[in-house]
């Protein structure tokens, strides 16, 4: 078990004691003032004030426009795929792959958090549309696994510790660079396994929506793009859907695995859990647009405030990083290639063996 001495312990040496997340001066009587506002409450207040001052365009409009642009690119992509010239055919495949990534990664992620609409009814509709029809997965299973498990129990062993991404039987090269290409095939199969045993209505809805999404692309490729054989159309679908699968798997493991893991019986306060167990990657023009800021360079902000859209996570980033620095809390960042190098050379330790449990002394 790893034990980490935190700033609270250093505070004790200076005459302070931590009680329930509040700091009390040693020797204080019951009438002395106790710090009423926890760090998480204080940071939340700062962020909420900025959100209230922001326009609808900043809160939701920017991200909705990016998603709309991705959908608008699809007709051009299908038309380019009609070309017999390799250059234009390649451009069509690339355009469709990028649009598909924006819709199925950025879109499904925002929809799962209800960040596309303030209406709960519309939020549920968008979740089903993006996750099931576009993403070929179960909306209920997606929300359950991502929101209620991963976000609620980030880096808690046996709950939200990202172990779902581990496949110990695969070698590091296969796992990091080859296996992700099968994600488009595996995703609907996992979705069906997730809804097995659930209500008949949920099962039928999931199967119908996933089938609708897959068949729509296939029909458009054969009837608009002019693919004459089923195999060529299916191959094109696989290439477009797998185009960003490798970085998708990388991002999901780079930002949590290898960071402090906690026991469910001795978990730290939320602000310590998220700042120790989450990492930001640097700005990347391509991944920022396709995956969204909340999955790349604002992942810490996203885990602290999961209701924010990608653009709002980027806007509150200076406030969050400054506040954590002032409170001497970790604000973890690392380069994509640096994390890839770490995982490649420490694959057994990070992706095969059970992770050590970290105990943050003084904050439990």
């Amino acid at each position: 078990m790893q034990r980490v001495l935190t700033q609270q312990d250093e505070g004790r040496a200076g005459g302070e004691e931590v009680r329930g997340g509040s700091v009390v001066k040693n020797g204080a009587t019951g009438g002395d003032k106790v710090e009423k506002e926890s760090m998480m409450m204080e940071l939340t207040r700062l962020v909420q004030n900025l959100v209230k001052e922001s326009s609808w365009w900043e809160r939701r409009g920017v991200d909705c426009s990016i998603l709309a642009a991705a959908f608008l690119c699809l007709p051009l992509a299908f038309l380019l795929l009609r070309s017999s010239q390799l250059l234009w055919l390649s451009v069509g495949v690339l355009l469709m792959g990028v649009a598909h990534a924006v819709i199925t990664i950025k879109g499904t992620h925002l929809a799962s958090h209800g960040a596309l609409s303030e209406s709960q009814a519309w939020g549920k509709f968008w979740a089903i549309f993006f996750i099931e029809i576009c993403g070929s997965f179960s909306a209920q299973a997606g929300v359950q696994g991502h929101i209620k498990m991963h976000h609620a129990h980030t880096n808690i062993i046996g709950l939200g510790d990202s172990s779902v991404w581990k496949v110990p039987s695969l070698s590091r090269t296969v796992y990091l660079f080859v296996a992700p290409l099968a994600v488009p095939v595996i995703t609907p199969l996992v979705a069906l396994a997730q809804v097995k045993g659930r209500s008949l209505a949920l099962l039928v809805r999931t199967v119908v929506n996933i089938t609708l999404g897959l068949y729509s692309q296939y029909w458009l490729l054969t009837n608009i793009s002019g693919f004459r054989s089923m195999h060529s159309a299916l191959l094109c679908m696989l290439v477009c859907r797998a185009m960003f699968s490798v970085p998708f798997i990388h991002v999901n493991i780079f930002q949590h695995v290898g960071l402090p893991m906690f026991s469910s019986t001795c978990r730290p306060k939320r602000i310590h859990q998220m700042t120790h167990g989450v990492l930001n990657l640097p700005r990347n023009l391509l991944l920022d647009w396709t995956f969204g800021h909340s999955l790349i360079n604002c992942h810490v902000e996203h885990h602290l405030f999961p209701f924010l859209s990608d653009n709002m996570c980027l806007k509150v980033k200076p406030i969050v990083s400054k506040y954590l620095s002032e409170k001497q809390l970790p604000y973890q960042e690392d380069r994509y290639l640096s994390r890839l190098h770490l995982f490649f050379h420490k694959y057994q330790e990070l992706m095969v063996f059970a992770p050590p449990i970290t105990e943050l002394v003084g904050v439990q």
Side-chain angles (χ1 to χ4, degrees):
M1 176 181 290
Q2 300 175 339
R3 295 173 70 86
V4 180
L5 185 69
T6 66
Q7 180 64 21
Q8 277 78 355
D9 297 278
E10 296 174 4
R12 287 180 178 178
E16 295 181 347
E17 180 182 358
V18 178
R19 293 178 185 171
S22 298
V23 179
V24 185
K25 297 291 183 180
N26 282 346
T29 64
D32 290 330
K33 185 176 181 179
V34 177
E35 186 180 17
K36 296 181 179 179
E37 191 173 40
S38 70
M39 287 188 289
M40 190 65 212
M41 291 172 60
E42 184 180 6
L43 179 57
T44 299
R45 178 173 51 81
L46 294 173
V47 169
Q48 286 181 340
N49 288 339
L50 183 60
V51 172
K52 290 178 182 178
E53 296 170 359
S54 303
S55 64
W56 177 87
W57 174 255
E58 293 174 305
R59 295 196 310 273
R60 307 187 193 278
V62 171
D63 293 298
C64 288
S65 297
I66 294 173
L67 291 172
F71 280 106
L72 291 174
C73 286
L74 290 177
L76 177 59
F78 281 111
L79 292 175
L80 286 172
L81 289 173
R82 292 179 59 93
S83 176
S84 58
Q85 298 183 19
L86 180 60
L87 174 62
W88 295 117
L89 182 66
S90 300
V91 172
V93 171
L94 179 62
L95 186 60
M96 182 171 292
V98 172
H100 182 269
V102 173
I103 295 167
T104 60
I105 300 176
K106 178 185 177 73
T108 57
H109 187 234
L110 290 175
S112 69
H113 284 280
L116 294 176
S117 175
E118 296 179 3
S119 165
Q120 289 188 353
W122 275 107
K124 184 176 181 180
F125 170 80
W126 290 124
I128 294 174
F129 174 75
F130 278 100
I131 299 174
E132 295 189 356
I133 297 178
C134 301
S136 302
F137 198 68
S138 163
Q140 185 182 70
V143 171
Q144 173 68 28
H146 185 70
I147 308 299
K148 298 182 180 179
M149 293 299 292
H150 175 63
H151 272 274
H153 308 288
T154 302
N155 283 31
I156 302 297
I157 299 293
L159 294 173
D161 62 354
S162 298
S163 60
V164 66
W165 299 104
K166 296 185 177 183
V167 188
S169 60
L170 299 180
S171 68
R172 61 184 180 180
T173 302
V174 172
Y175 179 88
L176 291 171
F177 304 109
V178 180
L181 300 177
V183 166
V185 177
I186 296 172
T187 300
L189 299 178
V190 173
L192 295 178
Q194 290 290 324
V195 298
K196 184 179 180 181
R198 302 293 181 90
S199 68
L200 180 61
L202 176 63
L203 176 62
V204 171
R205 188 194 76 188
T206 303
V207 172
V208 168
N209 285 338
I210 291 177
T211 303
L212 175 62
L214 293 171
Y215 184 74
S216 295
Q217 185 180 13
Y218 174 80
W219 187 90
L220 289 169
L221 286 173
T222 54
N223 290 273
I224 302 300
S225 301
F227 282 74
R228 296 183 178 180
S229 73
M230 178 182 69
H231 294 93
S232 61
L234 293 177
L235 178 61
C236 182
M237 290 175 63
L238 178 61
V239 170
C240 294
R241 289 170 176 262
M243 190 173 293
F244 287 85
S245 293
V246 171
F248 174 74
I249 295 298
H250 290 177
V251 166
N252 274 284
I253 60 175
F254 287 176
Q255 295 177 313
H256 294 286
V257 178
L259 300 177
M261 298 285 177
F262 310 107
S263 167
S264 59
T265 59
C266 195
R267 58 197 298 166
K269 297 293 184 181
R270 177 176 174 80
I271 194 167
H272 296 284
Q273 177 187 349
M274 300 306 172
T275 53
H276 284 84
V278 185
L279 174 143
N280 282 346
L281 296 171
R283 293 292 300 270
N284 181 297
L285 181 61
L286 180 60
L287 295 184
D288 283 350
W289 275 79
T290 53
F291 287 25
H293 298 296
S294 61
L295 288 177
I296 304 299
N297 64 303
C298 298
H299 204 54
V300 174
E301 290 77 8
H302 172 62
H303 268 263
L304 288 168
F305 306 101
F307 59 90
L308 295 179
S309 65
D310 288 335
N311 186 65
M312 283 307 302
C313 280
L314 185 63
K315 187 173 181 179
V316 305
K317 183 181 177 75
I319 292 178
V320 173
S321 60
K322 179 182 177 182
Y323 182 86
L324 296 181
S325 177
E326 290 174 350
K327 299 299 181 181
Q328 296 186 347
L329 289 169
Y331 186 76
Q332 305 192 82
E333 297 177 290
D334 199 3
R335 295 179 297 108
Y336 186 102
L337 292 180
S338 174
R339 297 299 286 177
L340 181 59
H341 182 271
L342 175 69
F343 274 75
F344 187 80
H345 290 283
K346 292 189 176 182
Y347 179 77
Q348 290 286 325
E349 177 184 337
L350 297 174
M351 299 301 294
V352 177
F353 300 144
I357 297 176
T358 299
E359 182 179 329
L360 302 179
V361 181
V363 301
Q364 271 81 0

